[in-house]
Amino acid sequence: MLAVVVLALAPAAHAARAATTYTLTTTTTVTTSPFGTGTVGNRPAVLSENEATARFLAVPKVKSWLTRYPPAPKIQTDASYDAGTGTWTVQVWYTPAGEIATGTVDDATGVVTSAWTGPQVAWKMARGVPGAFGGAKINSYGIWLAFCAAFLIGLVDWRRPLAVRNLDVLFLLSFSVSLWFFNRGNIFAAMPLAYPGMVWLAARLLWVGSTDRPPRGQVVWPVWVLAAATVFLAGFRVGLNVRASNVIDVGYSGVIGADRIVHGEKVYGNFPQEGSLKPCGPADSEGEIRDRIQANGICETANPLGDTYGPMAYLAYVPGYLIFGWSHHWDTLPAVHFTSILFDLLAIFGLALVGWRLGGPRIGAAAAFAWAAWPFTQYASSSNTNDAIMPALLVLGFAALTSDPVRGVAVALAGWTKFASLLVLPLWLGYPDARSRRSVLRMLAAFCVATLALFLIVLLHWPPWDSVRTFYDRTIGFQYGRESPFSLWDWRQYHAKGLPDLHLVQHVLQVLLVVGALVLGWVPRRRSPLRLAAFTGLLLVGFELVLTHWFYLYLPWFFPFVVLALLAPVPGRTRDREPPPLAS
C-alpha cells in the first residue's frame, strides 16, 4: 500500500517543486492599500468613522459580546479606512483584555462584511472557517457520518444493547457534537462539550485498570468481516488523504525540521521567519506575504512557531523528505502526506498486532477496525499533522511489552514526539512486576540511550548548553506559557462577565495527574496487559483534560489504549495469560 501512496504522491511532488448603550472614544486612520486598488480605486470615504463604527457595533453578535464589559471610558474603538479596497476596519478594545472585537464594513454599501468577537479576534481557527482542518471532504456530513456509522455498527455489542461498553462507543463519537460547534465558530459552546466524553473515558479506564477485569460484551461480527472492512477503510483513508486533504502548520513544521536535520543544521530556533525579512512571494488574500528570504539565503514560507515539538516529530519526516524532497514553500507537501499516511497505517498495523498477539484474531481485527473507522483519526490524517506518530509508536511498543528495552525505546520515541507520553514512563518501567529492579533498570537504560540518540540533533551544535536552552524555550517553555481559548482553563484572559477563572482548579488537577503518574510506577504491583493499557489511556486522557491548549487532533493520542481496554480488551487477571516472550 505504501508503494501505491508513493506513486500517487509523485505527481504532487513534481508539481511542488515546479442591548446596552456605549459611549465610545473613537479614532480614525485613513490608509491607501499597498496591494492595489482592485475595482474600488482610491476614493474618499462615504461613511464617517462614527457611522462605520456604529454599524459594526449594531451587529447582534458584537452587541451581545460587549454586554459582558463595562461601558466607556474603559472600552474604546479604533476605525481605519482603506481607500484602496473601500473597507473600514473597526476594532474594539478593553484595557485589561486587549482587543475584544474586530470586523470590517464596506464603505459603499455600509454592510458589515465580517465581525469577530472574543477568541475569534486573535485566533483565526476560532472563526469557523470551512475545511480549515482536514479539508472540505472529512468535514462534510456525508463522509463524517459514514465514518460514525461504520464505527457504531462495527463495535456495538448488538446482542447486549444495554451493555456499558456500548456507551463507550457513543461517548467516543460524542466529540462530534463539540466539533460541530467549533466548525461554526462557537468556541464557548464547543469546548465544554468535549469534556463529558473525556471524563467518562477517564472514569471507565480507572475502573477497568483498578479491577483488572475487561468490560462485558464484544463485537458481534466475524473476523473476516472486520478484517475486510478495515482493509477497505484503510484504502479509503489513503485516498482521502491524497486527494482531498490539506496540510496545516503542524505538518508543515515536520518537513522543515527534516530539511534542517538532513542538512546538518540546527532545528530549534532555525525555522523560517517572517518579520522584516525581504519578501520573495505573492501576498495572500489578507495581504500578508509569508514567503521571505531567510538567513540561509533561501526563499521559504514562514512557520516561526513550528519548532515546538520534540526531535522525533521531525526525524519521523526524514524518510518522506528523502523520497519527495521539499520546495521550501508551503505547497502540496507530498512528504508530509506520505508521513501522515505511513503512521496512520502503522497505528492500524500496531493495533492489529497487539490484539492478535494478546487476545487472538478477533481482538486484533476489532482493534484495527476501531482506528480505521473512528472519524477523529481520519480528521488528524486529513489535516496531515504529527498527531498519529506518538500513538503509533506507543502501540508498537505495547506489542512488545515483554521486552524491557523495546518498551524503553518506544516511550522515548513517543515522549520526544509529544511530551504527553512521558507521563507513562513510570507506569511502563516494570512489567509484569512493577517492583522488579531488573526490569526497571533495563527499560530505564534503553529509554536513556534512545533519548540521548534523539538529542544528538540538539547537542551536536556548539555550544550544547545554548542549544539545550533554545530547545527548552522553544518547546516546553512555549507550551507551558501559552494562552489559549481551546479549553475551559484560560477563558479568564478575556475578562468578560460570565467566564470563570479556573486556573486554580486546573493547577490542582495537574498536580494530581503528575502524582498519579508517579504512584502508578509503584502500585498496583502486578501488571496485566489490560491494566497497563487502561492506565496508559487514563494518563493520556488525564493530560488532555488539564491541557490549556487542547484540540480535536489530540484525541488519537489516547485512542489505541481506550480500544485495548474498553472496546477490544486485551487479557486481564480473569483470563490471565502472559504473552509469549519475543524471539531473541
Side-chain angles (χ1 to χ4, degrees), residues 259-266 461:
D259 174 82
R260 303 303 192 248
I261 293 169
V262 169
H263 290 93
E265 300 175 5
K266 290 194 304 181
H461 296 282

Side-chain angles (χ1 to χ4, degrees), residues 138 353 514 527:
I138 186 59
L353 180 62
V514 173
R527 308 288 169 83

Side-chain angles (χ1 to χ4, degrees), residues 463-520:
W465 49 87
D466 283 351
S467 297
V468 171
R469 179 57 189 237
T470 301
F471 166 79
Y472 176 83
D473 290 341
R474 303 295 297 175
T475 57
I476 299 172
F478 169 75
Q479 296 283 4
Y480 182 77
R482 73 190 305 187
E483 294 182 335
S484 173
F486 302 108
S487 70
L488 296 177
W489 311 116
D490 202 27
W491 287 354
R492 192 54 191 162
Q493 63 178 294
Y494 299 106
H495 297 269
K497 183 172 62 178
L499 298 182
D501 185 355
L502 297 176
H503 279 115
L504 180 59
V505 177
Q506 180 191 23
H507 295 329
V508 170
L509 293 176
Q510 287 172 335
V511 170
L512 289 176
L513 176 65
V514 173
V515 171
L518 295 175
V519 169
L520 286 174

Side-chain angles (χ1 to χ4, degrees), residues 314-571:
Y314 307 109
L315 282 165
Y317 287 83
V318 169
Y321 175 85
L322 293 176
I323 296 171
F324 296 103
W326 173 43
S327 67
H328 296 277
H329 298 286
W330 194 341
D331 48 30
T332 55
L333 298 172
V336 179
H337 286 271
F338 174 85
T339 306
S340 299
I341 293 169
L342 172 63
F343 282 94
D344 188 57
L345 294 177
L346 282 175
I348 294 174
F349 170 77
L351 281 165
L353 180 62
V354 170
W356 172 79
R357 184 166 182 260
L358 301 180
R362 178 180 291 273
I363 297 298
F369 171 83
W371 180 281
W374 200 40
F376 287 97
T377 54
Q378 183 58 42
Y379 189 66
S381 177
S382 288
S383 299
N384 287 282
T385 68
N386 55 22
D387 292 289
I389 299 174
M390 179 264 274
L393 293 171
L394 273 184
V395 80
L396 289 172
F398 196 88
L401 79 163
T402 55
S403 171
D404 300 324
V406 173
R407 289 201 319 277
V409 170
V411 173
L413 295 180
W416 299 119
T417 301
K418 297 285 188 178
F419 303 129
S421 52
L422 293 174
L423 274 176
V424 309
L425 177 59
L427 173 67
W428 282 41
L429 279 176
Y431 178 88
D433 186 345
R435 303 176 195 176
S436 170
R437 181 175 299 178
R438 181 174 180 270
S439 177
V440 169
L441 292 177
R442 280 163 56 91
M443 179 181 161
L444 194 58
F447 174 85
C448 292
V449 170
T451 295
L452 181 61
L454 286 173
F455 273 83
L456 287 177
I457 68 172
V458 176
L459 298 175
L460 288 182
H461 296 282
W462 194 262
W465 49 87
D466 283 351
S467 297
V468 171
R469 179 57 189 237
T470 301
F471 166 79
Y472 176 83
D473 290 341
R474 303 295 297 175
T475 57
I476 299 172
F478 169 75
Q479 296 283 4
Y480 182 77
R482 73 190 305 187
E483 294 182 335
S484 173
F486 302 108
S487 70
L488 296 177
W489 311 116
D490 202 27
W491 287 354
R492 192 54 191 162
Q493 63 178 294
Y494 299 106
H495 297 269
K497 183 172 62 178
L499 298 182
D501 185 355
L502 297 176
H503 279 115
L504 180 59
V505 177
Q506 180 191 23
H507 295 329
V508 170
L509 293 176
Q510 287 172 335
V511 170
L512 289 176
L513 176 65
V514 173
V515 171
L518 295 175
V519 169
L520 286 174
W522 188 253
V523 294
R525 180 168 181 172
R526 298 296 298 175
R527 308 288 169 83
S528 69
L530 177 65
R531 176 166 276 167
L532 197 67
F535 284 142
T536 298
L538 175 62
L539 290 173
L540 295 175
V541 172
F543 182 88
E544 296 196 29
L545 277 170
V546 301
L547 200 58
T548 298
H549 183 77
W550 178 86
F551 199 59
Y552 307 94
L553 296 169
Y554 304 166
L555 291 171
W557 296 1
F558 61 70
F559 182 69
F561 300 97
V562 171
V563 170
L564 296 173
L566 302 180
L567 303 184
V570 292

Side-chain angles (χ1 to χ4, degrees), residues 147 288 335 357 382 451 573-574 582:
F147 273 106
E288 182 180 5
R357 184 166 182 260
S382 288
T451 295
R573 67 186 177 96
T574 53
L582 292 179

Side-chain angles (χ1 to χ4, degrees), residues 261-283:
I261 293 169
V262 169
H263 290 93
E265 300 175 5
K266 290 194 304 181
V267 173
Y268 299 96
N270 192 32
F271 265 51
Q273 304 292 309
E274 189 171 334
S276 59
L277 298 178
K278 181 180 179 181
C280 55

Side-chain angles (χ1 to χ4, degrees), residues 192-225:
L193 289 171
Y195 286 85
M198 288 191 282
V199 171
W200 171 268
L201 294 174
R204 288 282 287 150
L205 292 166
L206 178 60
W207 174 260
V208 170
S210 300
T211 62
D212 206 10
R213 297 180 185 276
R216 297 186 61 187
Q218 61 181 356
V219 294
V220 299
W221 305 104
V223 173
W224 70 268
V225 171

Side-chain angles (χ1 to χ4, degrees), residues 165-186:
R165 74 180 300 278
N166 292 342
L167 284 178
D168 299 333
V169 174
L170 293 176
F171 270 105
L172 282 165
L173 293 176
S174 72
F175 299 107
S176 300
V177 179
S178 174
L179 181 62
W180 187 89
F181 282 97
F182 169 81
N183 284 340
R184 282 146 188 81
N186 193 341

